[in-house]
Amino acid sequence: MPDKILLYVCIILFSFTGFVSATNYDQYFPYIPSAQYYGKVILNNYSTKASVAPVVFDHWLHRAKFTCRLCHIDIGFAMKAGTTEIKATDNMNGYYCGTCHDGKREIAGKKVFDSCAEKYIAEDEKRCSRCHSKMNPGARKYNRETFTANLPRLHEDLIDWEKAEAEGKITPADFLEGISFEREPLKAQDDFSIKVTTWASDVIFSHKKHTIWNGCELCHPLIFPSSKKGTIKYTMFQIMEGEYCGVCHSSVAFSVYLCAKCHKSPVQ
Amino acid sequence: MRNVIFFTFMSFLFLNFSPGNFLIGNPDNAYAQDDWKQEYSAICANTQNAMALSIEKLQTLIERCDKLQGQIDVLTGPQAKTEKKVFTKRLKMCRDLYDFALLHKKENK
């Protein structure tokens, strides 16, 4: 009898191994990038058509200086790469990238370089390629390795942004003169637990931690369309596919592979 | 002499009342242009405490959002296309949040 059980166990394990080896994970899970590419966005709605290189946007550089809310609510960048459909004229009109990159605005005592222009001379190409740098990465001014060298790490090369702010190593701006407006003080909702039906421990979700950088309208109702506890049911597969928590925690905020960051009470 | 006075007078009229009067701005126009932006800021200033607002207040804010969207839809001028794109999205985020909060309030009434 024990031999039979052993045999069944072996068959099950063998079948599972076969399934795993035959599975192309890329088909089922999104490509979760390594830390150096975390949040890197390539923008090419119009660049190639306009005979310029696509824009490489370094999320790590901007998030070190600004809160999520400032760019995604006040300036209005969409949460999904490429869906804002930024045009050079938008920037020239002082919106999107042009909100800061207008050649006049000063941030942390430095004048921010101008973005797009209707006419430009050969000398300007150096400035253009700071953003339109898909074919010329060397034209970018900031290097991730040196820029983030001083910042605390979560795991391997993933930056612990929360700790970085707590230690005063970054001070993300939350207000941009002429763009942001005075808001009523934030009233964060209570933390709550999310019941997990698998082997993992429940999640304690901290509203406070999320609203401090995001505000409310970044998540509701766009990402989480219901406020009634338990009405939205989602799986880790969906999260890894970039839905729900995965909108940020698959490419920008800490990785979903750091299970204990969420599946722990209280959340860390 | 009369010709000079006439020419000066006509120039004055042209510079002040031609489209985009560039020497002496028309304050009424400037205020009218900014009115809708001020209204946008006033409406969306409540997003951070949306869940604490009353049903009536939320309904009023949603109505104001819809009214403002109507104004944004008919914007004209050199920046209109960009402004429509930017503010339609920004206003929608506000409106959707108020709608979300309103639904929550009604469900928990």
Side-chain angles (χ1 to χ4, degrees):
Chain A
M1 194 64 176
D3 289 349
K4 256 190 174 177
I5 291 172
L6 197 64
L7 180 69
Y8 288 144
V9 170
C10 286
I11 290 170
I12 290 167
L13 284 176
F14 184 74
S15 309
F16 181 71
T17 312
F19 168 76
V20 169
S21 59
T23 301
N24 179 3
Y25 275 100
D26 287 352
Q27 274 186 317
Y28 297 98
F29 302 115
Y31 168 59
I32 294 183
S34 63
Q36 60 172 321
Y37 298 113
Y38 233 51
K40 184 169 266 189
V41 181
I42 308 290
L43 302 169
N44 193 20
N45 296 95
Y46 306 105
S47 298
T48 308
K49 287 173 207 162
S51 305
V52 285
V55 170
V56 178
F57 175 80
D58 287 325
H59 210 277
W60 50 264
L61 175 63
H62 291 80
R63 73 170 296 174
K65 299 179 178 186
F66 311 100
T67 62
C68 315
R69 171 178 32 215
L70 187 70
C71 299
H72 291 287
I73 297 177
D74 291 0
I75 298 178
F77 288 111
M79 293 290 279
K80 201 171 178 184
T83 55
T84 312
E85 301 197 346
I86 306 155
K87 289 185 173 178
T89 46
D90 297 333
N91 293 334
M92 286 186 266
N93 285 336
Y95 290 96
Y96 298 126
C97 313
T99 306
C100 297
H101 290 278
D102 60 356
K104 295 171 204 152
R105 192 182 288 272
E106 282 190 15
I107 290 173
K110 281 185 189 170
K111 201 168 265 186
V112 185
F113 69 91
D114 201 357
S115 50
C116 305
E118 208 159 329
K119 289 176 186 169
Y120 57 90
I121 52 171
E123 276 179 29
D124 290 332
E125 279 184 29
K126 206 173 169 186
R127 178 170 51 84
C128 302
S129 58
R130 282 186 69 175
C131 303
H132 290 275
S133 61
K134 181 76 168 70
M135 318 303 175
N136 183 15
R140 308 185 67 71
K141 187 179 173 186
Y142 293 95
N143 171 278
R144 186 185 185 276
E145 204 179 316
T146 45
F147 185 81
T148 64
N150 198 27
L151 302 180
R153 295 304 200 259
L154 252 178
H155 174 70
E156 293 179 352
D157 203 21
L158 280 179
I159 296 154
D160 189 337
W161 295 104
E162 204 183 337
K163 199 173 173 190
E165 191 187 28
E167 290 177 354
K169 288 178 176 162
I170 59 164
T171 44
D174 196 34
F175 192 92
L176 208 55
E177 199 60 49
I179 295 294
S180 306
F181 49 87
E182 294 295 337
R183 292 179 165 96
E184 292 293 320
L186 178 68
K187 285 183 184 161
Q189 299 296 295
D190 294 336
D191 295 355
F192 60 89
S193 64
I194 300 168
K195 185 88 186 145
V196 175
T197 52
T198 60
W199 49 268
S201 59
D202 288 354
V203 170
I204 303 292
F205 176 81
S206 171
H207 250 122
K208 195 181 168 191
K209 283 184 187 221
H210 286 80
T211 48
I212 267 179
W213 282 346
N214 298 330
C216 307
E217 63 268 52
L218 205 58
C219 302
H220 298 297
L222 187 69
I223 302 170
F224 294 97
S226 175
S227 67
K228 213 171 184 180
K229 199 181 165 188
T231 48
I232 308 173
K233 304 219 182 287
Y234 47 92
T235 64
M236 282 307 298
F237 286 95
Q238 286 173 292
I239 291 173
M240 285 170 162
E241 286 285 351
E243 292 178 56
Y244 302 109
C245 316
V247 171
C248 298
H249 288 286
S250 65
S251 59
V252 177
F254 66 79
S255 165
V256 287
Y257 291 141
L258 301 175
C259 314
K261 285 284 287 174
C262 302
H263 292 276
K264 198 171 183 178
S265 175
V267 67
Q268 287 188 332
Chain B
M1 186 62 183
R2 273 187 179 182
N3 281 346
V4 173
I5 293 169
F6 178 75
F7 179 75
T8 310
F9 180 69
M10 289 307 285
S11 300
F12 175 80
L13 289 180
F14 173 77
L15 291 173
N16 276 285
F17 300 106
S18 61
N21 37 31
F22 55 90
L23 270 188
I24 304 169
N26 181 343
D28 288 344
N29 278 353
Y31 285 123
Q33 279 169 7
D34 281 348
D35 271 354
W36 67 271
K37 282 187 185 172
Q38 283 171 11
E39 172 66 351
Y40 163 77
S41 303
I43 294 171
C44 296
N46 296 283
T47 51
Q48 297 207 133
N49 63 341
M51 295 301 265
L53 300 175
S54 67
I55 288 180
E56 292 72 30
K57 174 81 176 166
L58 287 165
Q59 281 169 336
T60 309
L61 286 168
I62 291 169
E63 281 167 21
R64 284 170 70 186
C65 283
D66 293 338
K67 198 178 163 194
L68 182 60
Q69 185 57 55
Q71 283 178 263
I72 292 171
D73 287 340
V74 295
L75 282 176
T76 52
Q79 297 203 343
K81 211 173 170 183
T82 303
E83 283 178 335
K84 278 183 196 176
K85 185 162 78 166
V86 171
F87 283 93
T88 296
K89 186 184 176 289
R90 288 171 69 181
L91 187 65
K92 187 179 182 305
M93 287 181 93
C94 275
R95 193 202 183 282
D96 288 352
L97 180 73
Y98 294 142
D99 209 21
F100 172 83
L102 182 64
L103 194 71
H104 172 82
K105 295 261 168 183
K106 283 180 176 172
E107 280 175 353
N108 292 289
K109 204 175 177 183

